[in-house]
Amino acid sequence: MAVAAALAFGLFWGRAGAPLLLGRPGVWFGLLLGVVVYPFAQVWLRDELTIAVLEIVAENVGASAMRDQVALVGLVSAIVAAYADEFAKLIMLLIVGFVMARPSNPRAVTAAAIAPTAGYALFAAQLTLSQALQGDLPGADLAFVFVREWAWIALQFGTAYMLARGWLSGRLVGYVLLAGVLHTAAAYTATLDDLGWHTAVVTLILAVVGLLAFSWGASLIPAGRR
């Protein structure tokens, strides 16, 4: 069920934005690359980098002070996690673009960005939904989990569109920074949970950020939506 739900979410957002051009071998390579990269990016890039950054902050402000600054620690963690994710997606975009012979066509570039992101995001959603389904959660809590994963995939697709636009416009750094800001806002919702915010409010915030990222990102690729 978790796999089916993740695929349904991906197909929904894939249909809502630019087509994935699934007939191209490079796109299928990108999907597989996203699945393979996800665990390595989470453990080696995101988690290890977050720990390293928090250790540096603790050395400067003190470990005891860090324990009392949940909001600040959460913000630092969200920034690191967001840009680690975007960096991983950027590297995958470059790899898939290389495999596709460095395309300049907007639809091909969009496919090079979206394909690995789809594999990456759907693998993450499948893991989260599997854990939720095995956790015997109440119906309402399970519904919130599904809405959050739907929003996360929207965010990942939306920021991938931004990376594609950055490639096409020659302003990749600016669009990576923009994608990271939106991703940070989404990642910070985990800290809102820790601070005791109501689950419905946190889920709503994540859904709004995800929809904003997707609609904004998709609007940057008009040629890919024809």
Side-chain angles (χ1 to χ4, degrees):
M1 182 177 178
V3 174
L7 288 173
F9 293 161
L11 289 172
F12 175 82
W13 291 117
R15 292 285 294 174
L20 291 180
L21 304 177
L22 293 179
R24 299 195 176 196
V27 174
W28 288 105
F29 168 78
L31 287 167
L32 179 60
L33 179 66
V35 172
V36 172
V37 164
Y38 178 80
F40 294 99
Q42 293 299 300
V43 175
W44 289 351
L45 182 60
R46 177 173 175 166
D47 292 350
E48 293 298 327
L49 184 58
T50 300
I51 292 171
V53 171
L54 290 178
E55 287 178 349
I56 293 173
V57 175
E59 289 177 359
N60 288 275
V61 303
S64 59
M66 286 278 289
R67 286 192 292 270
D68 298 330
Q69 298 294 327
V70 176
L72 177 60
V73 172
L75 178 60
V76 173
S77 299
I79 292 172
V80 175
Y83 281 99
D85 251 22
E86 294 307 319
F87 180 73
K89 286 158 57 182
L90 176 59
I91 294 299
M92 290 190 291
L93 165 60
L94 297 176
I95 293 173
V96 176
F98 179 78
V99 170
M100 295 175 67
R102 298 181 181 180
S104 57
N105 178 278
R107 293 183 66 178
V109 173
T110 302
I114 290 294
T117 296
Y120 191 89
L122 297 184
F123 187 81
Q126 185 270 329
L127 284 179
T128 301
L129 293 175
S130 295
Q131 293 171 357
L133 290 169
Q134 293 170 5
D136 196 25
L137 296 175
D141 291 341
L142 190 59
F144 285 133
V145 173
F146 272 73
V147 172
R148 289 190 186 195
E149 291 311 304
W150 175 79
W152 268 113
I153 294 176
L155 177 113
Q156 294 282 24
F157 274 51
T159 52
Y161 285 130
M162 293 177 186
L163 298 184
R165 180 58 182 174
W167 177 320
L168 291 167
S169 65
R171 294 179 290 174
L172 194 55
V173 173
Y175 279 101
V176 169
L177 292 174
L178 174 59
V181 169
L182 289 169
H183 203 133
T184 297
Y188 193 71
T189 57
T191 300
L192 299 182
D193 266 330
D194 295 338
L195 292 172
W197 287 44
H198 194 282
T199 303
V201 175
V202 175
T203 303
L204 177 61
I205 293 172
L206 179 57
V208 169
V209 174
L211 287 170
L212 173 62
F214 181 84
S215 58
W216 193 350
S219 70
L220 298 172
I221 314 289
R225 300 177 69 184
R226 294 175 185 172

